[in-house]
Amino acid sequence: MSLNGAVLLSPDNSPALIQGEKSFLVQAGVRMEFDSANPYPGRQGYSFTAVGTLHLTNIRVIYVPRILQETMKNINIPLENLRDGKLYQPWFDANRYEANVIPVPNGGLSQPGRIKWAFKEGGGFEFSSIFMQLRSRITGESLPQEEPLPLYDPSNAPPPANAGSSSSTPTPALPFPLPPAFSESGLDTLVAAPDAAPVDDEPRPDAPPGYQ
């Protein structure tokens, strides 16, 4: 890593590419935090914070802040000098890529540091994927592989919830007994409705005289 190691072109401050260099990604709205503070007394550390544009080529990563500062107009990092990088994808914040940075000789930095790029306008996943492939071509290191999922073993499967029980659901007991089944013999025990006319089996008296 070096400070102000890239040549910027006017008017958009894009970096000038060298022979054989090709741009693979240009992402604006990237917030950068760099810290190389040294805990030992007498050793100078560096800390930078800025928002700008990140350029990824097949040779290096170039970061150009939106507002150029006298002490930092750009950061120039060869791909092999970014190590142990990892992409973080929080739920409620922008994707963030972090890595350790190794300084280059006569680059303005004397000690390693830690860099963080927060992709406020997207592009974090694309940067991580392309960067790992480009760096692998230079260093010869294999790409990180995800651990395969274990194979399914039916013998380790938990028993079903209704295992050991019959397929039919038992009928719950009622809080009161059911009445006896209805039959024709039970008609004699029925009581007539209150508004029904009483049954009179006695013979009617003769009609009064003169009644036609």
Short mmCIF file of all heavy atoms in Angstrom, two decimals, residues 66-135:
data_model
loop_
_atom_site.label_atom_id
_atom_site.label_comp_id
_atom_site.label_asym_id
_atom_site.label_seq_id
_atom_site.Cartn_x
_atom_site.Cartn_y
_atom_site.Cartn_z
N ARG A 66 -13.54 11.57 -2.45
CA ARG A 66 -14.34 12.57 -3.15
C ARG A 66 -13.73 13.95 -3.02
O ARG A 66 -13.75 14.75 -3.97
CB ARG A 66 -15.77 12.54 -2.61
CG ARG A 66 -16.75 13.44 -3.33
CD ARG A 66 -18.13 13.28 -2.72
NE ARG A 66 -18.58 11.89 -2.79
CZ ARG A 66 -19.64 11.42 -2.12
NH1 ARG A 66 -20.32 12.23 -1.30
NH2 ARG A 66 -19.99 10.15 -2.24
N ILE A 67 -13.23 14.26 -1.85
CA ILE A 67 -12.54 15.53 -1.60
C ILE A 67 -11.06 15.21 -1.39
O ILE A 67 -10.69 14.56 -0.41
CB ILE A 67 -13.13 16.24 -0.37
CG1 ILE A 67 -14.63 16.52 -0.58
CG2 ILE A 67 -12.39 17.54 -0.09
CD1 ILE A 67 -15.31 17.14 0.62
N LEU A 68 -10.23 15.66 -2.31
CA LEU A 68 -8.81 15.37 -2.23
C LEU A 68 -8.17 16.16 -1.09
O LEU A 68 -8.44 17.35 -0.92
CB LEU A 68 -8.12 15.70 -3.55
CG LEU A 68 -8.65 14.98 -4.79
CD1 LEU A 68 -7.81 15.35 -6.01
CD2 LEU A 68 -8.66 13.47 -4.60
N GLN A 69 -7.36 15.48 -0.31
CA GLN A 69 -6.65 16.12 0.79
C GLN A 69 -5.17 16.24 0.45
O GLN A 69 -4.64 15.50 -0.40
CB GLN A 69 -6.84 15.31 2.08
CG GLN A 69 -8.29 15.07 2.46
CD GLN A 69 -8.43 14.16 3.66
OE1 GLN A 69 -7.46 13.89 4.37
NE2 GLN A 69 -9.64 13.69 3.90
N GLU A 70 -4.52 17.15 1.11
CA GLU A 70 -3.11 17.37 0.82
C GLU A 70 -2.27 16.15 1.18
O GLU A 70 -1.32 15.80 0.48
CB GLU A 70 -2.61 18.60 1.59
CG GLU A 70 -1.20 19.01 1.23
CD GLU A 70 -1.06 19.46 -0.23
OE1 GLU A 70 -2.07 19.94 -0.79
OE2 GLU A 70 0.04 19.32 -0.79
N THR A 71 -2.65 15.49 2.27
CA THR A 71 -1.88 14.33 2.71
C THR A 71 -2.36 13.02 2.08
O THR A 71 -1.66 12.01 2.16
CB THR A 71 -1.96 14.20 4.24
OG1 THR A 71 -3.34 14.11 4.63
CG2 THR A 71 -1.33 15.41 4.91
N MET A 72 -3.55 13.02 1.49
CA MET A 72 -4.06 11.79 0.88
C MET A 72 -4.92 12.14 -0.33
O MET A 72 -6.08 12.52 -0.20
CB MET A 72 -4.87 10.96 1.87
CG MET A 72 -5.25 9.59 1.31
SD MET A 72 -6.43 8.68 2.32
CE MET A 72 -7.90 9.67 2.07
N LYS A 73 -4.33 12.01 -1.50
CA LYS A 73 -5.08 12.20 -2.74
C LYS A 73 -5.60 10.88 -3.28
O LYS A 73 -6.58 10.83 -4.00
CB LYS A 73 -4.20 12.90 -3.78
CG LYS A 73 -3.80 14.33 -3.41
CD LYS A 73 -2.95 14.93 -4.50
CE LYS A 73 -2.66 16.40 -4.19
NZ LYS A 73 -1.90 16.58 -2.95
N ASN A 74 -4.94 9.78 -2.95
CA ASN A 74 -5.40 8.45 -3.33
C ASN A 74 -4.61 7.42 -2.54
O ASN A 74 -3.56 7.72 -1.96
CB ASN A 74 -5.25 8.21 -4.84
CG ASN A 74 -3.82 8.32 -5.31
OD1 ASN A 74 -3.01 7.40 -5.13
ND2 ASN A 74 -3.47 9.46 -5.91
N ILE A 75 -5.14 6.21 -2.53
CA ILE A 75 -4.46 5.07 -1.90
C ILE A 75 -4.30 4.00 -2.96
O ILE A 75 -5.26 3.62 -3.63
CB ILE A 75 -5.26 4.54 -0.70
CG1 ILE A 75 -5.16 5.53 0.47
CG2 ILE A 75 -4.75 3.19 -0.27
CD1 ILE A 75 -5.87 5.06 1.72
N ASN A 76 -3.09 3.52 -3.10
CA ASN A 76 -2.74 2.57 -4.15
C ASN A 76 -2.26 1.27 -3.49
O ASN A 76 -1.26 1.27 -2.77
CB ASN A 76 -1.64 3.17 -5.03
CG ASN A 76 -1.30 2.28 -6.21
OD1 ASN A 76 -2.13 1.99 -7.04
ND2 ASN A 76 -0.04 1.87 -6.27
N ILE A 77 -2.99 0.16 -3.71
CA ILE A 77 -2.68 -1.10 -3.02
C ILE A 77 -2.55 -2.22 -4.05
O ILE A 77 -3.53 -2.55 -4.73
CB ILE A 77 -3.78 -1.47 -2.01
CG1 ILE A 77 -4.14 -0.28 -1.12
CG2 ILE A 77 -3.34 -2.65 -1.16
CD1 ILE A 77 -5.31 -0.54 -0.20
N PRO A 78 -1.39 -2.83 -4.20
CA PRO A 78 -1.28 -4.04 -5.04
C PRO A 78 -2.17 -5.15 -4.48
O PRO A 78 -2.34 -5.27 -3.26
CB PRO A 78 0.21 -4.40 -4.96
CG PRO A 78 0.90 -3.12 -4.55
CD PRO A 78 -0.08 -2.40 -3.68
N LEU A 79 -2.71 -5.96 -5.36
CA LEU A 79 -3.66 -6.99 -4.93
C LEU A 79 -3.05 -7.95 -3.92
O LEU A 79 -3.70 -8.37 -2.96
CB LEU A 79 -4.18 -7.77 -6.14
CG LEU A 79 -4.96 -6.97 -7.19
CD1 LEU A 79 -5.50 -7.90 -8.27
CD2 LEU A 79 -6.10 -6.18 -6.55
N GLU A 80 -1.78 -8.31 -4.11
CA GLU A 80 -1.16 -9.27 -3.20
C GLU A 80 -0.88 -8.67 -1.83
O GLU A 80 -0.56 -9.40 -0.88
CB GLU A 80 0.14 -9.82 -3.79
CG GLU A 80 1.20 -8.77 -4.07
CD GLU A 80 1.12 -8.20 -5.48
OE1 GLU A 80 0.03 -8.27 -6.06
OE2 GLU A 80 2.15 -7.72 -5.98
N ASN A 81 -0.99 -7.34 -1.69
CA ASN A 81 -0.76 -6.69 -0.39
C ASN A 81 -2.03 -6.56 0.43
O ASN A 81 -1.99 -6.07 1.56
CB ASN A 81 -0.14 -5.31 -0.59
CG ASN A 81 1.33 -5.38 -1.00
OD1 ASN A 81 1.70 -6.22 -1.81
ND2 ASN A 81 2.16 -4.54 -0.42
N LEU A 82 -3.15 -7.00 -0.10
CA LEU A 82 -4.41 -7.10 0.66
C LEU A 82 -4.57 -8.55 1.09
O LEU A 82 -4.73 -9.44 0.25
CB LEU A 82 -5.60 -6.66 -0.18
CG LEU A 82 -5.85 -5.16 -0.30
CD1 LEU A 82 -6.93 -4.88 -1.34
CD2 LEU A 82 -6.27 -4.57 1.05
N ARG A 83 -4.53 -8.79 2.38
CA ARG A 83 -4.52 -10.17 2.88
C ARG A 83 -5.62 -10.37 3.93
O ARG A 83 -6.03 -9.43 4.61
CB ARG A 83 -3.15 -10.51 3.49
CG ARG A 83 -2.00 -10.33 2.50
CD ARG A 83 -0.66 -10.65 3.12
NE ARG A 83 0.43 -10.45 2.17
CZ ARG A 83 1.72 -10.62 2.46
NH1 ARG A 83 2.07 -11.00 3.69
NH2 ARG A 83 2.64 -10.41 1.54
N ASP A 84 -6.03 -11.64 4.02
CA ASP A 84 -7.03 -12.05 5.02
C ASP A 84 -8.30 -11.21 4.90
O ASP A 84 -8.89 -10.79 5.91
CB ASP A 84 -6.46 -11.93 6.44
CG ASP A 84 -5.19 -12.75 6.62
OD1 ASP A 84 -5.11 -13.85 6.05
OD2 ASP A 84 -4.27 -12.28 7.32
N GLY A 85 -8.71 -10.95 3.68
CA GLY A 85 -9.91 -10.15 3.45
C GLY A 85 -11.19 -10.95 3.69
O GLY A 85 -11.23 -12.17 3.54
N LYS A 86 -12.22 -10.23 4.07
CA LYS A 86 -13.51 -10.87 4.33
C LYS A 86 -14.63 -9.87 4.07
O LYS A 86 -14.51 -8.69 4.41
CB LYS A 86 -13.59 -11.38 5.77
CG LYS A 86 -14.90 -12.11 6.09
CD LYS A 86 -14.91 -12.63 7.51
CE LYS A 86 -16.21 -13.36 7.83
NZ LYS A 86 -16.23 -13.88 9.22
N LEU A 87 -15.70 -10.36 3.47
CA LEU A 87 -16.89 -9.54 3.21
C LEU A 87 -17.89 -9.75 4.33
O LEU A 87 -18.27 -10.89 4.64
CB LEU A 87 -17.52 -9.92 1.87
CG LEU A 87 -18.82 -9.18 1.51
CD1 LEU A 87 -18.56 -7.70 1.27
CD2 LEU A 87 -19.48 -9.81 0.28
N TYR A 88 -18.34 -8.66 4.93
CA TYR A 88 -19.36 -8.70 5.98
C TYR A 88 -20.67 -8.16 5.40
O TYR A 88 -20.68 -7.12 4.73
CB TYR A 88 -18.94 -7.85 7.18
CG TYR A 88 -17.71 -8.37 7.89
CD1 TYR A 88 -16.43 -7.97 7.49
CD2 TYR A 88 -17.82 -9.25 8.96
CE1 TYR A 88 -15.30 -8.45 8.13
CE2 TYR A 88 -16.69 -9.73 9.61
CZ TYR A 88 -15.43 -9.33 9.19
OH TYR A 88 -14.31 -9.81 9.82
N GLN A 89 -21.75 -8.89 5.66
CA GLN A 89 -23.06 -8.51 5.13
C GLN A 89 -24.06 -8.37 6.28
O GLN A 89 -24.88 -9.26 6.52
CB GLN A 89 -23.54 -9.56 4.12
CG GLN A 89 -22.64 -9.67 2.89
CD GLN A 89 -23.09 -10.73 1.91
OE1 GLN A 89 -22.94 -11.93 2.16
NE2 GLN A 89 -23.66 -10.31 0.81
N PRO A 90 -24.02 -7.26 6.99
CA PRO A 90 -24.97 -7.06 8.09
C PRO A 90 -26.38 -6.83 7.57
O PRO A 90 -26.58 -6.43 6.42
CB PRO A 90 -24.43 -5.81 8.80
CG PRO A 90 -23.66 -5.08 7.74
CD PRO A 90 -23.08 -6.14 6.85
N TRP A 91 -27.37 -7.09 8.42
CA TRP A 91 -28.77 -6.97 8.03
C TRP A 91 -29.19 -5.52 7.87
O TRP A 91 -29.96 -5.18 6.98
CB TRP A 91 -29.65 -7.66 9.07
CG TRP A 91 -29.64 -9.15 8.96
CD1 TRP A 91 -28.67 -9.93 8.39
CD2 TRP A 91 -30.64 -10.05 9.42
NE1 TRP A 91 -29.00 -11.25 8.48
CE2 TRP A 91 -30.21 -11.37 9.11
CE3 TRP A 91 -31.85 -9.89 10.08
CZ2 TRP A 91 -30.95 -12.49 9.43
CZ3 TRP A 91 -32.59 -11.02 10.40
CH2 TRP A 91 -32.15 -12.31 10.08
N PHE A 92 -28.72 -4.65 8.75
CA PHE A 92 -29.23 -3.28 8.79
C PHE A 92 -28.16 -2.26 8.43
O PHE A 92 -28.23 -1.11 8.85
CB PHE A 92 -29.79 -2.98 10.19
CG PHE A 92 -30.87 -3.93 10.62
CD1 PHE A 92 -30.61 -4.90 11.58
CD2 PHE A 92 -32.12 -3.88 10.05
CE1 PHE A 92 -31.60 -5.79 11.97
CE2 PHE A 92 -33.12 -4.77 10.44
CZ PHE A 92 -32.86 -5.72 11.40
N ASP A 93 -27.17 -2.66 7.65
CA ASP A 93 -26.12 -1.73 7.23
C ASP A 93 -25.57 -2.19 5.89
O ASP A 93 -25.89 -3.28 5.41
CB ASP A 93 -25.01 -1.67 8.28
CG ASP A 93 -24.20 -0.38 8.17
OD1 ASP A 93 -24.47 0.40 7.25
OD2 ASP A 93 -23.30 -0.17 9.01
N ALA A 94 -24.73 -1.34 5.29
CA ALA A 94 -24.17 -1.66 3.98
C ALA A 94 -23.13 -2.77 4.09
O ALA A 94 -22.50 -2.96 5.15
CB ALA A 94 -23.53 -0.41 3.38
N ASN A 95 -22.95 -3.51 3.00
CA ASN A 95 -21.90 -4.53 2.97
C ASN A 95 -20.54 -3.88 3.19
O ASN A 95 -20.27 -2.77 2.71
CB ASN A 95 -21.92 -5.27 1.64
CG ASN A 95 -23.14 -6.16 1.49
OD1 ASN A 95 -23.86 -6.40 2.46
ND2 ASN A 95 -23.39 -6.64 0.29
N ARG A 96 -19.68 -4.60 3.88
CA ARG A 96 -18.37 -4.05 4.27
C ARG A 96 -17.29 -5.09 4.01
O ARG A 96 -17.44 -6.26 4.34
CB ARG A 96 -18.40 -3.67 5.75
CG ARG A 96 -17.13 -3.03 6.26
CD ARG A 96 -17.26 -2.68 7.74
NE ARG A 96 -17.20 -3.85 8.61
CZ ARG A 96 -18.24 -4.41 9.19
NH1 ARG A 96 -19.46 -3.93 9.00
NH2 ARG A 96 -18.09 -5.47 9.98
N TYR A 97 -16.21 -4.63 3.40
CA TYR A 97 -15.07 -5.51 3.15
C TYR A 97 -13.89 -5.03 3.99
O TYR A 97 -13.54 -3.85 3.98
CB TYR A 97 -14.68 -5.50 1.67
CG TYR A 97 -13.68 -6.59 1.31
CD1 TYR A 97 -14.11 -7.86 0.97
CD2 TYR A 97 -12.32 -6.33 1.32
CE1 TYR A 97 -13.21 -8.87 0.65
CE2 TYR A 97 -11.40 -7.33 1.01
CZ TYR A 97 -11.85 -8.59 0.67
OH TYR A 97 -10.95 -9.59 0.37
N GLU A 98 -13.28 -5.97 4.72
CA GLU A 98 -12.15 -5.65 5.58
C GLU A 98 -10.98 -6.54 5.22
O GLU A 98 -11.15 -7.71 4.86
CB GLU A 98 -12.52 -5.85 7.06
CG GLU A 98 -13.65 -4.95 7.55
CD GLU A 98 -13.89 -5.09 9.05
OE1 GLU A 98 -13.01 -5.68 9.72
OE2 GLU A 98 -14.92 -4.61 9.54
N ALA A 99 -9.77 -5.97 5.35
CA ALA A 99 -8.57 -6.74 5.04
C ALA A 99 -7.37 -6.09 5.72
O ALA A 99 -7.40 -4.91 6.09
CB ALA A 99 -8.34 -6.80 3.53
N ASN A 100 -6.33 -6.90 5.90
CA ASN A 100 -5.05 -6.38 6.38
C ASN A 100 -4.24 -5.86 5.20
O ASN A 100 -4.26 -6.45 4.11
CB ASN A 100 -4.27 -7.47 7.11
CG ASN A 100 -4.99 -7.93 8.37
OD1 ASN A 100 -5.63 -7.14 9.06
ND2 ASN A 100 -4.87 -9.22 8.69
N VAL A 101 -3.53 -4.77 5.42
CA VAL A 101 -2.79 -4.12 4.35
C VAL A 101 -1.30 -4.14 4.68
O VAL A 101 -0.89 -3.79 5.79
CB VAL A 101 -3.26 -2.66 4.15
CG1 VAL A 101 -2.51 -2.01 3.01
CG2 VAL A 101 -4.75 -2.63 3.87
N ILE A 102 -0.49 -4.56 3.71
CA ILE A 102 0.96 -4.58 3.85
C ILE A 102 1.53 -3.39 3.07
O ILE A 102 1.24 -3.24 1.87
CB ILE A 102 1.56 -5.90 3.32
CG1 ILE A 102 0.87 -7.09 4.01
CG2 ILE A 102 3.06 -5.93 3.53
CD1 ILE A 102 1.01 -7.11 5.51
N PRO A 103 2.33 -2.54 3.70
CA PRO A 103 2.88 -1.38 2.98
C PRO A 103 3.94 -1.80 1.97
O PRO A 103 4.58 -2.85 2.10
CB PRO A 103 3.48 -0.53 4.10
CG PRO A 103 3.80 -1.50 5.19
CD PRO A 103 2.75 -2.57 5.11
N VAL A 104 4.11 -0.98 0.94
CA VAL A 104 5.15 -1.20 -0.07
C VAL A 104 6.35 -0.31 0.27
O VAL A 104 6.20 0.71 0.95
CB VAL A 104 4.62 -0.88 -1.48
CG1 VAL A 104 3.46 -1.79 -1.83
CG2 VAL A 104 4.21 0.58 -1.59
N PRO A 105 7.54 -0.69 -0.14
CA PRO A 105 8.73 0.15 0.14
C PRO A 105 8.59 1.55 -0.45
O PRO A 105 8.12 1.72 -1.59
CB PRO A 105 9.87 -0.63 -0.51
CG PRO A 105 9.38 -2.04 -0.59
CD PRO A 105 7.91 -1.95 -0.82
N ASN A 106 8.95 2.53 0.34
CA ASN A 106 8.92 3.93 -0.08
C ASN A 106 7.52 4.37 -0.52
O ASN A 106 7.37 5.21 -1.42
CB ASN A 106 9.92 4.18 -1.22
CG ASN A 106 11.34 3.80 -0.85
OD1 ASN A 106 11.78 4.03 0.29
ND2 ASN A 106 12.06 3.19 -1.79
N GLY A 107 6.51 3.81 0.13
CA GLY A 107 5.14 4.15 -0.24
C GLY A 107 4.46 5.14 0.69
O GLY A 107 3.28 5.42 0.53
N GLY A 108 5.19 5.64 1.66
CA GLY A 108 4.62 6.61 2.57
C GLY A 108 4.08 6.00 3.85
O GLY A 108 3.69 6.74 4.76
N LEU A 109 4.03 4.68 3.95
CA LEU A 109 3.58 3.99 5.17
C LEU A 109 4.68 3.03 5.60
O LEU A 109 5.25 2.31 4.78
CB LEU A 109 2.28 3.24 4.94
CG LEU A 109 1.05 4.09 4.57
CD1 LEU A 109 -0.13 3.20 4.24
CD2 LEU A 109 0.69 5.03 5.72
N SER A 110 4.93 3.00 6.89
CA SER A 110 6.04 2.18 7.40
C SER A 110 5.59 0.92 8.11
O SER A 110 6.43 0.10 8.48
CB SER A 110 6.90 3.02 8.35
OG SER A 110 6.11 3.51 9.44
N GLN A 111 4.30 0.74 8.31
CA GLN A 111 3.82 -0.41 9.07
C GLN A 111 2.47 -0.88 8.54
O GLN A 111 1.75 -0.11 7.90
CB GLN A 111 3.69 -0.04 10.55
CG GLN A 111 2.83 1.17 10.80
CD GLN A 111 3.05 1.74 12.19
OE1 GLN A 111 3.96 1.35 12.91
NE2 GLN A 111 2.21 2.69 12.57
N PRO A 112 2.14 -2.14 8.78
CA PRO A 112 0.85 -2.67 8.29
C PRO A 112 -0.32 -1.98 8.98
O PRO A 112 -0.18 -1.32 10.01
CB PRO A 112 0.92 -4.15 8.65
CG PRO A 112 2.36 -4.44 8.88
CD PRO A 112 2.96 -3.19 9.41
N GLY A 113 -1.49 -2.16 8.39
CA GLY A 113 -2.70 -1.56 8.95
C GLY A 113 -3.92 -2.38 8.57
O GLY A 113 -3.82 -3.46 7.97
N ARG A 114 -5.05 -1.86 8.95
CA ARG A 114 -6.34 -2.51 8.69
C ARG A 114 -7.21 -1.53 7.92
O ARG A 114 -7.34 -0.36 8.30
CB ARG A 114 -7.02 -2.87 10.01
CG ARG A 114 -8.35 -3.61 9.87
CD ARG A 114 -8.13 -5.05 9.50
NE ARG A 114 -9.38 -5.82 9.51
CZ ARG A 114 -9.46 -7.08 9.11
NH1 ARG A 114 -8.38 -7.73 8.70
NH2 ARG A 114 -10.61 -7.72 9.14
N ILE A 115 -7.80 -2.01 6.82
CA ILE A 115 -8.63 -1.15 5.98
C ILE A 115 -10.04 -1.71 5.92
O ILE A 115 -10.25 -2.94 5.94
CB ILE A 115 -8.02 -1.01 4.56
CG1 ILE A 115 -8.62 0.21 3.85
CG2 ILE A 115 -8.22 -2.28 3.74
CD1 ILE A 115 -7.87 0.62 2.62
N LYS A 116 -11.01 -0.80 5.88
CA LYS A 116 -12.43 -1.17 5.79
C LYS A 116 -13.07 -0.34 4.69
O LYS A 116 -12.91 0.89 4.66
CB LYS A 116 -13.15 -0.92 7.12
CG LYS A 116 -12.57 -1.66 8.31
CD LYS A 116 -13.30 -1.29 9.59
CE LYS A 116 -12.69 -1.97 10.80
NZ LYS A 116 -13.40 -1.60 12.06
N TRP A 117 -13.81 -1.00 3.82
CA TRP A 117 -14.57 -0.33 2.77
C TRP A 117 -16.04 -0.66 2.96
O TRP A 117 -16.43 -1.83 2.88
CB TRP A 117 -14.11 -0.76 1.38
CG TRP A 117 -12.78 -0.18 0.97
CD1 TRP A 117 -12.42 1.13 0.96
CD2 TRP A 117 -11.64 -0.90 0.50
NE1 TRP A 117 -11.13 1.29 0.52
CE2 TRP A 117 -10.62 0.05 0.23
CE3 TRP A 117 -11.37 -2.25 0.28
CZ2 TRP A 117 -9.37 -0.29 -0.25
CZ3 TRP A 117 -10.12 -2.60 -0.20
CH2 TRP A 117 -9.13 -1.63 -0.46
N ALA A 118 -16.86 0.34 3.20
CA ALA A 118 -18.31 0.16 3.33
C ALA A 118 -18.96 0.64 2.03
O ALA A 118 -18.84 1.81 1.66
CB ALA A 118 -18.85 0.94 4.52
N PHE A 119 -19.67 -0.26 1.37
CA PHE A 119 -20.26 0.03 0.06
C PHE A 119 -21.67 0.58 0.25
O PHE A 119 -22.66 -0.17 0.22
CB PHE A 119 -20.25 -1.24 -0.80
CG PHE A 119 -18.87 -1.71 -1.15
CD1 PHE A 119 -18.12 -2.46 -0.24
CD2 PHE A 119 -18.30 -1.40 -2.37
CE1 PHE A 119 -16.84 -2.89 -0.56
CE2 PHE A 119 -17.01 -1.83 -2.69
CZ PHE A 119 -16.28 -2.58 -1.79
N LYS A 120 -21.76 1.89 0.42
CA LYS A 120 -23.03 2.54 0.71
C LYS A 120 -23.98 2.53 -0.48
O LYS A 120 -25.19 2.62 -0.31
CB LYS A 120 -22.79 3.99 1.16
CG LYS A 120 -21.95 4.12 2.42
CD LYS A 120 -22.68 3.54 3.62
CE LYS A 120 -21.91 3.78 4.91
NZ LYS A 120 -22.62 3.25 6.10
N GLU A 121 -23.45 2.43 -1.69
CA GLU A 121 -24.28 2.44 -2.89
C GLU A 121 -24.22 1.11 -3.63
O GLU A 121 -24.44 1.04 -4.83
CB GLU A 121 -23.84 3.58 -3.82
CG GLU A 121 -23.97 4.97 -3.19
CD GLU A 121 -23.53 6.08 -4.11
OE1 GLU A 121 -23.27 5.80 -5.31
OE2 GLU A 121 -23.44 7.23 -3.65
N GLY A 122 -23.95 0.03 -2.91
CA GLY A 122 -23.91 -1.30 -3.52
C GLY A 122 -22.54 -1.62 -4.09
O GLY A 122 -21.61 -0.81 -4.07
N GLY A 123 -22.42 -2.85 -4.60
CA GLY A 123 -21.19 -3.29 -5.24
C GLY A 123 -20.24 -4.05 -4.34
O GLY A 123 -19.17 -4.49 -4.80
N GLY A 124 -20.60 -4.24 -3.07
CA GLY A 124 -19.70 -4.94 -2.16
C GLY A 124 -19.49 -6.40 -2.52
O GLY A 124 -18.36 -6.91 -2.51
N PHE A 125 -20.57 -7.10 -2.86
CA PHE A 125 -20.44 -8.51 -3.20
C PHE A 125 -19.67 -8.68 -4.50
O PHE A 125 -18.84 -9.59 -4.63
CB PHE A 125 -21.83 -9.14 -3.33
CG PHE A 125 -21.81 -10.60 -3.67
CD1 PHE A 125 -21.58 -11.55 -2.69
CD2 PHE A 125 -22.02 -11.03 -4.97
CE1 PHE A 125 -21.55 -12.90 -3.01
CE2 PHE A 125 -21.99 -12.37 -5.29
CZ PHE A 125 -21.75 -13.32 -4.31
N GLU A 126 -19.93 -7.80 -5.49
CA GLU A 126 -19.21 -7.88 -6.76
C GLU A 126 -17.71 -7.64 -6.55
O GLU A 126 -16.87 -8.34 -7.13
CB GLU A 126 -19.77 -6.86 -7.75
CG GLU A 126 -21.17 -7.18 -8.26
CD GLU A 126 -22.26 -6.85 -7.26
OE1 GLU A 126 -21.93 -6.27 -6.19
OE2 GLU A 126 -23.43 -7.16 -7.53
N PHE A 127 -17.38 -6.65 -5.72
CA PHE A 127 -15.97 -6.38 -5.45
C PHE A 127 -15.29 -7.59 -4.82
O PHE A 127 -14.19 -7.99 -5.23
CB PHE A 127 -15.83 -5.17 -4.53
CG PHE A 127 -14.43 -4.98 -4.01
CD1 PHE A 127 -13.46 -4.37 -4.78
CD2 PHE A 127 -14.09 -5.43 -2.74
CE1 PHE A 127 -12.16 -4.21 -4.31
CE2 PHE A 127 -12.80 -5.27 -2.25
CZ PHE A 127 -11.83 -4.66 -3.04
N SER A 128 -15.92 -8.18 -3.81
CA SER A 128 -15.31 -9.31 -3.12
C SER A 128 -15.09 -10.49 -4.07
O SER A 128 -14.02 -11.12 -4.06
CB SER A 128 -16.21 -9.74 -1.95
OG SER A 128 -15.70 -10.89 -1.32
N SER A 129 -16.07 -10.79 -4.92
CA SER A 129 -15.96 -11.93 -5.83
C SER A 129 -14.86 -11.71 -6.87
O SER A 129 -14.02 -12.58 -7.11
CB SER A 129 -17.30 -12.19 -6.52
OG SER A 129 -18.32 -12.44 -5.58
N ILE A 130 -14.87 -10.52 -7.51
CA ILE A 130 -13.88 -10.24 -8.56
C ILE A 130 -12.48 -10.14 -7.95
O ILE A 130 -11.50 -10.64 -8.52
CB ILE A 130 -14.25 -8.96 -9.31
CG1 ILE A 130 -15.62 -9.12 -9.98
CG2 ILE A 130 -13.20 -8.62 -10.36
CD1 ILE A 130 -16.13 -7.85 -10.63
N PHE A 131 -12.38 -9.50 -6.80
CA PHE A 131 -11.07 -9.33 -6.17
C PHE A 131 -10.43 -10.68 -5.85
O PHE A 131 -9.23 -10.89 -6.11
CB PHE A 131 -11.21 -8.50 -4.89
CG PHE A 131 -9.99 -8.52 -4.02
CD1 PHE A 131 -8.86 -7.79 -4.36
CD2 PHE A 131 -9.96 -9.28 -2.86
CE1 PHE A 131 -7.72 -7.82 -3.56
CE2 PHE A 131 -8.84 -9.31 -2.06
CZ PHE A 131 -7.72 -8.59 -2.41
N MET A 132 -11.19 -11.61 -5.29
CA MET A 132 -10.62 -12.91 -4.93
C MET A 132 -10.12 -13.65 -6.16
O MET A 132 -9.07 -14.31 -6.12
CB MET A 132 -11.65 -13.73 -4.17
CG MET A 132 -11.92 -13.26 -2.75
SD MET A 132 -12.91 -14.42 -1.78
CE MET A 132 -14.43 -14.44 -2.74
N GLN A 133 -10.85 -13.56 -7.27
CA GLN A 133 -10.42 -14.25 -8.48
C GLN A 133 -9.16 -13.61 -9.06
O GLN A 133 -8.23 -14.31 -9.48
CB GLN A 133 -11.55 -14.22 -9.51
CG GLN A 133 -12.80 -14.98 -9.06
CD GLN A 133 -13.89 -14.97 -10.12
OE1 GLN A 133 -13.62 -15.13 -11.30
NE2 GLN A 133 -15.13 -14.78 -9.69
N LEU A 134 -9.11 -12.27 -9.09
CA LEU A 134 -7.93 -11.59 -9.63
C LEU A 134 -6.70 -11.85 -8.75
O LEU A 134 -5.60 -12.09 -9.27
CB LEU A 134 -8.20 -10.09 -9.74
CG LEU A 134 -9.26 -9.66 -10.75
CD1 LEU A 134 -9.50 -8.16 -10.67
CD2 LEU A 134 -8.85 -10.05 -12.17
N ARG A 135 -6.89 -11.79 -7.46
CA ARG A 135 -5.75 -12.02 -6.55
C ARG A 135 -5.25 -13.46 -6.65
O ARG A 135 -4.05 -13.72 -6.56
CB ARG A 135 -6.15 -11.70 -5.12
CG ARG A 135 -4.99 -11.68 -4.14
CD ARG A 135 -5.44 -11.36 -2.73
NE ARG A 135 -4.30 -11.20 -1.84
CZ ARG A 135 -3.64 -12.20 -1.28
NH1 ARG A 135 -4.02 -13.45 -1.52
NH2 ARG A 135 -2.61 -11.97 -0.48
#
